[in-house]
Amino acid sequence: MSSSDRLARLLAQSRRAVVFTGAGISTESGIPDFRSPGGVWSKMTPISFQDFVARPERRREAWERAFSGVTRWQGADPNAGHYAVARLVAQGKVSAVITQNVDNLHQHSGVPDDKVIELHGNASFATCLECGLRHELEVIKQSFLGTGELPACRGCGGIVKTATISFGQAMPEAAMARAEAETLACDLFLVLGSSLVVYPAAGFPLLAKRNGARLAIVNREPTDQDGYADLVLHEEIGPLLGQVVPLAS
Ligand code: ZN
């Protein structure tokens, strides 16, 4: 049986699946994996949350990076993998997409906002750290590049930051709780493009498995959790899912 047939069969047997995505699904859209060798974080140190809040010069550096295009989050489009996941959600097969990515590509591919659980936040907009008010990046960019002044909240004057979870920042409680509930409610946990090394997010696959769900891992490289999985495929996600999703529907 081909790998796509095996994955299609697991999906066909599932009544409620959860998809868990990492950088690997978005590298196929041209977004670099920050943590990989040669990735962005191997060339420049991430700015911790504590530094961002305490030191204006680090805040300036963070905004300069955000608008330099180095992250390639802006302007990237979803690929076949994202669209296949969106079809699985639309079919009612997948109840939630838990993602470690901050690139907004699941929403961009048509997954409703309330079906996407972002463990590391979202880089496509900013929020005020004081009052939570949302700020659009395009507005901040024009102001910051035009005046050189650090972005401040138009509502309360507080510090504004992209809506990502930075190094040193607490995990988002509501998202973590929803991810856990979805994990415990699923009968198939499908990992797409995560090396499963960043905890606590990487704890969800084994939680699902211990709770009786099947576990499938699709990742280009082997992961530490491959030995626990019912199906492991070291393949590209887009081409594989492009075959699987029509088969599984
Ligand atoms: Zn504010």
Side-chain angles (χ1 to χ4, degrees), residues 16 18 95 98 176-189 203-213:
R16 184 181 178 125
V18 161
S95 63
I98 303 170
M176 288 296 287
R178 280 184 64 210
E180 182 174 330
E182 288 290 347
T183 298
L184 292 174
C186 78
D187 61 12
L188 172 64
F189 194 95
F204 289 116
L206 285 185
L207 181 64
K209 184 66 190 166
R210 291 197 185 107
N211 192 49

Side-chain angles (χ1 to χ4, degrees), residues 47-211:
I47 295 165
S48 74
F49 182 69
Q50 287 72 17
D51 266 6
F52 185 91
V53 171
R55 299 171 58 191
E57 70 276 16
R58 295 294 273 166
R59 214 139 68 223
R60 178 171 301 282
E61 197 179 340
W63 284 114
E64 282 167 356
R65 283 183 190 181
F67 296 135
S68 72
V70 67
T71 59
R72 286 188 246 160
W73 285 318
Q74 287 157 303
D77 291 316
N79 63 62
H82 293 103
Y83 287 118
V85 169
R87 287 201 295 282
L88 288 170
V89 173
Q91 289 165 6
K93 178 66 74 178
V94 166
S95 63
V97 180
I98 303 170
T99 187
Q100 300 170 284
N101 299 336
V102 299
D103 52 35
N104 204 51
L105 291 183
H106 287 299
Q107 293 92 328
H108 194 161
S109 70
V111 180
D113 282 354
D114 65 352
K115 298 283 190 188
V116 182
I117 303 173
E118 295 172 320
L119 299 181
H120 297 158
N122 189 310
S124 70
F125 63 97
T127 51
C128 171
L129 294 177
E130 299 295 327
C131 74
L133 189 67
R134 176 175 168 136
H135 294 252
E136 300 309 320
L137 286 188
E138 201 46 47
V139 175
I140 293 177
K141 183 177 181 177
Q142 285 185 11
S143 166
F144 178 66
L145 297 181
T147 68
E149 283 176 33
L150 283 171
C153 177
R154 65 180 182 279
C156 74
I159 292 176
V160 173
K161 179 182 170 296
T162 54
T164 50
I165 305 299
S166 297
F167 288 80
Q169 192 168 4
M171 292 296 284
E173 278 178 38
M176 288 296 287
R178 280 184 64 210
E180 182 174 330
E182 288 290 347
T183 298
L184 292 174
C186 78
D187 61 12
L188 172 64
F189 194 95
L190 173 58
V191 176
L192 299 174
S194 173
S195 47
L196 300 176
V197 291
V198 182
Y199 282 84
F204 289 116
L206 285 185
L207 181 64
K209 184 66 190 166
R210 291 197 185 107
N211 192 49

